[in-house]
Amino acid sequence: MKKTHLFAVTVLLSILAHAFVSLAMPPFDPAKVPAAPDYARPESWLHKPAAPKAKVDVFFVYPTVLFNDTDWIMNTADPEMKNAARSPLLTQASVFKGQANIYSPMYRQMNLAVLSLPDDQAALIKKVGREDVWRAFLYYLEHENQGRPFFLAGHSQGSMVLADLMIQHWGSTGVEKRLIAALLIGWSITPENLTQNPALKLCERKDATGCIISYNTMENGKQKKAPTLLPGALAVNPLSWDTGKEFVPASKNLGAVFFDAQNQPTTHPGFTSAQIIDGGLIVKPQNVDLVTVKGGHFPAGVYHAFDYSLFYENLKANLADRINAMNK
């Protein structure tokens, strides 16, 4: 992992440290790393269509769902972990439903409690999940994609892993022209990242392709407390689909969508405005109670868990715009 991203992960973990100080984690034992997923086996995929129907795909990497006090690394064969990973598939990734075939691999993600480990052990854990996702992506390209255009998408740890992989590999895969867009939501892309790999670029228009969409939602004044907002972070405003700093009113919000405990959606048109200030996507929700997580891992006013929900219908409409642009 490059120094920038090692620093980024360290920032994320240090801010979240308070959530884990009371956990009685067992000593980390490298000999007890869970077995690697075999992506030739169906059970190694959270979702993979047997008969793809859409003309485009999405390769979706789920966010952090491992928060227990026993496992440093996710065991992808554990039914409980698979069930936990399924929730963001049914909520966040549902913006792609009906528009793209969804391919989502299980991967041995890290428990954020790795903060308590020495640097060398922590680096080993981070590498495990990153290499799983890369192997899954290569398998997807060789055996599943069949030449279709595709999105990359994730959230939080999923977006972090995809960002690391794009910085390391993008421009040398041979499939760059098939990328519709990379939704690296809930993580930061910085000018340094774009310098590290000139093949990367942010989306500047609603119909741009081959580019990255990244933003982190919060109320103004919380930028320095937002764990995933890195110094110098760039952002794309999902109400204007550019990187401008102009205020965009809530009237442009087609609908925030919130999911109940059974993952059933409720839509709220015009729920929030959006403006990029100091790298953060600043929002003013109509009902703060709907974006408040009691006992959550993020500071009050940082709406990380709702990065997709707040702009759900705009995301959904924009996917169609970019798919149409790709097909022209």
Side-chain angles (χ1 to χ4, degrees):
M1 182 180 286
K2 292 182 172 64
K3 290 183 178 179
T4 299
H5 298 286
L6 185 58
F7 170 75
V9 174
T10 301
V11 170
L12 171 62
L13 296 177
S14 62
I15 295 178
L16 294 178
H18 69 279
F20 301 100
V21 292
S22 63
L23 296 183
M25 295 288 287
F28 173 66
D29 184 352
K32 293 184 179 180
V33 172
D38 178 357
Y39 295 109
R41 300 176 68 87
E43 60 266 28
S44 293
W45 293 85
L46 188 61
H47 190 273
K48 182 167 70 73
K53 296 180 180 180
K55 294 182 179 180
V56 306
D57 298 341
V58 57
F59 184 85
F60 179 81
V61 184
Y62 53 85
T64 305
V65 296
L66 178 61
F67 292 108
N68 65 27
D69 59 358
T70 57
D71 301 305
W72 295 103
I73 301 173
M74 174 186 282
N75 180 353
T76 59
D78 183 345
E80 184 176 337
M81 285 291 93
K82 198 160 192 174
N83 188 55
R86 191 169 285 112
S87 182
L89 182 72
L90 296 174
T91 55
Q92 296 169 341
S94 66
V95 297
F96 293 95
K97 189 175 181 180
Q99 301 195 77
N101 308 303
I102 300 174
Y103 293 84
S104 183
M106 292 295 296
Y107 71 104
R108 293 172 294 174
Q109 69 173 211
M110 65 179 180
N111 189 321
L112 294 184
V114 297
L115 173 66
S116 63
L117 294 177
D119 289 346
D120 57 342
Q121 293 182 355
L124 287 174
I125 291 177
K126 297 164 192 172
K127 182 179 179 181
V128 168
R130 192 168 65 249
E131 290 186 348
D132 279 355
V133 173
W134 180 240
R135 287 189 303 105
F137 182 61
L138 293 179
Y139 181 91
Y140 155 76
L141 290 176
E142 182 177 356
H143 299 281
E144 305 290 346
N145 175 252
Q146 304 300 314
R148 290 184 295 271
F150 62 90
F151 292 93
L152 295 174
H155 185 246
S156 198
Q157 184 174 167
S159 291
M160 179 189 73
V161 170
L162 285 173
D164 284 342
L165 291 174
M166 289 190 76
I167 291 165
Q168 182 178 357
H169 297 289
W170 211 244
S172 62
T173 68
V175 298
E176 282 75 10
K177 291 183 178 180
R178 300 213 300 273
L179 177 69
I180 305 172
L183 282 69
L184 307 185
I185 296 171
W187 189 246
S188 295
I189 296 297
T190 67
E192 183 178 355
N193 299 153
L194 303 184
T195 299
Q196 287 172 312
N197 188 340
L200 304 181
K201 59 182 180 179
L202 261 65
C203 296
E204 297 279 359
R205 307 186 318 272
K206 70 175 184 178
D207 59 349
T209 59
C211 52
I212 296 171
I213 297 165
S214 174
Y215 62 80
N216 292 274
T217 60
M218 65 204 69
E219 65 180 47
N220 199 18
K222 300 294 184 178
Q223 289 90 329
K224 291 184 178 180
K225 294 185 178 181
T228 58
L229 187 66
L230 307 181
L234 303 170
V236 174
N237 189 324
L239 296 186
S240 62
W241 297 114
D242 61 31
T243 58
K245 306 301 187 293
E246 296 80 10
F247 173 84
V248 185
S251 60
K252 296 292 185 180
N253 189 314
L254 300 178
V257 175
F258 299 100
F259 296 84
D260 63 19
Q262 288 71 46
N263 293 318
Q264 295 302 306
T266 302
T267 303
H268 300 260
F271 187 77
T272 183
S273 57
Q275 185 176 15
I276 299 170
I277 301 177
D278 295 332
L281 185 67
I282 304 307
V283 298
K284 297 180 179 180
Q286 285 180 350
N287 185 345
V288 175
D289 288 343
L290 290 177
V291 289
T292 299
V293 180
K294 295 181 180 179
H297 300 300
F298 283 73
V302 177
Y303 303 126
H304 181 72
F306 304 97
D307 287 332
Y308 273 79
S309 288
L310 286 165
F311 303 100
Y312 187 97
E313 293 295 344
N314 291 78
L315 286 166
K316 194 172 179 179
N318 186 250
L319 298 178
D321 289 338
R322 296 187 197 274
I323 291 171
N324 289 335
M326 195 76 171
N327 291 332
K328 287 182 179 179

